[in-house]
Amino acid sequence: MGRAPALLSQFLSLSTTAAPHFRASMTCRLNPRKYLNGTAKIPPIRENLRCLCSVAVSEPATSEPSSTPVKKRVVSGVQPTGSIHLGNYLGAIKNWIDLQNAYDTLFFIVDLHAITLPYDTQQLSKATKETAAIYLACGVDPSKASVFVQSHVRAHVELMWLLSSTTPIGWLNRMIQFKEKSLKAGDENVGVALLTYPVLMASDILLYQSDYVPVGDDQKQHLELTRELAQRVNYLYGGRKWKKLGGRGGAIFKVPEPLIPPTGARVMSLTDGLSKMSKSAPSDQSRINLLDPKDVVNNKIKRCKTDSFPGLEFDNSERPECNNLLSIYQLVTGKTKQEVAEECRDMNWGTFKPVLTDALIAHLHPIQVCYGEIMSDASYLDSVLAEGARKAADVADNTLKNVYQAMGFLR
């Protein structure tokens, strides 16, 4: 995503109905001694996550009885690099609309992750505001969710440094995305931040004592690292050690679980059905941007890659582009997979492409209108981000205070 692997950035879309809940059984059976040399591993996130009608999570060590139920917390964010496209929207932001009704949610613009590779300093601030406006235009409600800019809460960077002191370098060297991007950029163009950004991502999550993190297939490895760090810090500094320093004892961090929807996990490129739709792809033809005008959407769908098979169908491995375009149609119309399959079974591409174009334009138009209204009222957007940062800082500062105390700092 963009110029650097984004925090939580390929976040997956739930259906347009009530958001289902998910859990992964990821019980950690760890050898404490291995924490001291950095060899401990948490079992990888399983592929066969089960869809459940309720979420089962162990209670945190510090929870106390309450007369009112406390919502589980979800955090997520997108980089302000490039244009927000259909993949970001269907894979993440659209999902947030359901999540904000069921969870305590924090959605932020991860601007600190946007500088891990060379970037345009003249555009960063502008792109950050535009991304925030898109969040709101898509339906994120600041009365239900905290919307803020990552760099406006300084605890993110402070906690990253503290976590860095306990992160074995071998854990970072195994990150696949670092290897891929560093090979493309070359050693002379790669800063330390590209290697250490997963620690910042862990800070983003652990800072808010998150219960769940929406993740895609390409982000599972990063969440595993976050979980490993949480367990490592809890072992090295939590429990009785923390209590002897005047703390409450117990776990310092919650160990977050992945939240993975059953459909819409990956929106693919319009020019290659085997590649993910991406901001960093050189051709703008490969993606539908949320702010693309009608004629541009029409032109991109007309020119998108298809195949020569008769009819249209889902889940044929020889027809990745067909599966992708039908999936997009399903997600923007809110129809079921079966309804789309029956509707489009006998269509050819000449018939289907105008239908898909009309559906995309109809879905994006109200978002574009709302976006324009929000961007025209700078004071409103500023107030939303300021209030979101204040609420986030209240939670973040408490976590940071506990970490400093548990690590032995003079406060």
Side-chain angles (χ1 to χ4, degrees):
M1 266 205 27
R3 297 182 179 274
L7 162 73
L8 315 173
S9 55
Q10 309 302 327
F11 313 59
L12 309 173
S13 166
L14 296 177
S15 64
T16 54
T17 58
H21 301 194
F22 303 86
R23 76 176 177 190
S25 175
M26 301 170 66
T27 303
C28 303
R29 296 178 177 85
L30 299 166
N31 182 342
R33 292 183 180 178
K34 292 186 178 180
Y35 277 120
L36 302 179
N37 59 22
T39 60
K41 288 186 179 181
I42 286 179
I45 298 171
R46 295 183 298 142
E47 297 295 332
N48 57 337
L49 298 176
R50 294 191 294 133
C51 175
L52 303 174
C53 58
S54 63
V55 178
V57 192
S58 59
E59 290 298 320
T62 59
S63 63
E64 297 180 359
S66 173
S67 57
T68 56
V70 178
K71 288 184 176 181
K72 299 298 182 181
R73 183 170 291 147
V74 172
V75 298
S76 195
V78 172
Q79 279 195 49
T81 50
S83 298
I84 299 294
H85 56 67
L86 200 63
N88 302 134
Y89 170 63
L90 295 177
I93 302 172
K94 187 169 178 285
N95 175 27
W96 297 353
I97 312 310
D98 291 324
L99 293 178
Q100 69 184 354
N101 295 318
Y103 298 95
D104 174 17
T105 48
L106 297 98
F107 301 133
F108 46 106
I109 298 93
V110 291
D111 55 340
L112 293 172
H113 287 272
I115 66 171
T116 53
L117 286 175
Y119 67 100
D120 187 345
T121 58
Q122 301 299 317
Q123 290 297 315
L124 181 59
S125 177
K126 177 175 179 289
T128 299
K129 275 200 168 186
E130 290 172 348
T131 303
I134 285 180
Y135 283 10
L136 302 181
C138 289
V140 173
D141 184 347
S143 70
K144 298 178 180 179
S146 296
V147 180
F148 63 99
V149 179
Q150 181 190 28
S151 63
H152 292 180
V153 180
R154 296 184 178 181
H156 286 259
V157 176
E158 287 189 62
L159 181 58
M160 179 199 177
W161 180 251
L162 298 177
L163 293 178
S164 295
S165 72
T166 64
T167 305
I169 191 67
W171 288 11
L172 299 179
N173 284 333
R174 74 180 189 231
M175 294 291 105
I176 295 172
Q177 289 198 16
F178 168 72
K179 294 176 181 177
E180 293 176 347
K181 292 196 174 282
S182 60
L183 282 174
K184 289 181 181 179
D187 289 344
E188 294 300 318
N189 297 316
V190 173
V192 173
L194 188 61
L195 176 65
T196 61
Y197 88 91
V199 184
L200 177 58
M201 190 191 82
S203 171
D204 297 331
I205 298 168
L206 299 178
L207 199 55
Y208 299 103
Q209 303 295 343
S210 310
D211 294 287
Y212 299 105
V213 182
V215 292
D217 289 339
D218 60 341
Q219 291 293 317
K220 286 181 182 179
Q221 189 182 40
H222 300 145
L223 184 57
E224 288 170 13
L225 176 70
T226 299
R227 289 169 51 81
E228 289 175 341
L229 275 175
Q231 291 281 5
R232 183 175 172 85
V233 171
N234 286 344
Y235 174 72
L236 290 175
Y237 303 109
R240 293 181 180 178
K241 299 172 187 175
W242 182 17
K243 202 163 188 177
K244 287 180 180 179
L245 292 170
R248 66 162 190 263
I252 300 170
F253 294 125
K254 284 186 180 179
V255 181
E257 299 282 354
L259 190 64
I260 303 179
T263 59
R266 290 170 70 88
V267 177
M268 311 308 285
S269 166
L270 297 181
T271 56
D272 179 6
L274 296 176
S275 299
K276 195 169 185 178
M277 188 175 287
S278 171
K279 294 178 183 179
S280 61
S283 173
D284 192 58
Q285 172 64 32
S286 67
R287 55 190 169 265
I288 299 290
N289 302 307
L290 289 197
L291 301 181
D292 279 346
K294 297 178 182 179
D295 59 329
V296 173
V297 173
N298 182 55
N299 183 55
K300 287 181 176 179
I301 296 300
K302 275 185 177 180
R303 297 173 57 193
C304 71
K305 184 179 179 181
T306 55
D307 55 46
S308 58
F309 289 86
L312 303 179
E313 59 186 330
F314 283 103
D315 302 325
N316 184 335
S317 60
E318 296 183 5
R319 307 185 67 184
E321 289 78 20
C322 183
N323 185 73
N324 184 45
L325 295 175
L326 287 176
S327 296
I328 291 173
Y329 180 64
Q330 176 194 345
L331 290 167
V332 298
T333 59
K335 297 179 180 180
T336 66
K337 187 173 182 178
Q338 182 178 353
E339 288 172 339
V340 172
E342 292 175 356
E343 176 187 353
C344 304
R345 180 182 297 114
D346 299 322
M347 287 186 179
N348 56 36
W349 290 115
T351 305
F352 175 70
K353 283 188 174 183
V355 172
L356 175 58
T357 299
D358 291 343
L360 280 168
I361 291 172
H363 193 90
L364 296 180
H365 178 68
I367 294 174
Q368 294 170 350
V369 171
C370 188
Y371 170 82
E373 294 174 353
I374 293 169
M375 287 299 291
S376 67
D377 188 351
S379 61
Y380 167 71
L381 186 57
D382 288 343
S383 67
V384 167
L385 295 177
E387 177 63 12
R390 185 193 65 77
K391 290 180 180 178
D394 287 344
V395 180
D397 290 346
N398 187 60
T399 297
L400 191 62
K401 178 187 71 174
N402 289 338
V403 176
Y404 273 123
Q405 183 186 49
M407 292 182 70
F409 284 85
L410 174 64
R411 304 302 291 166

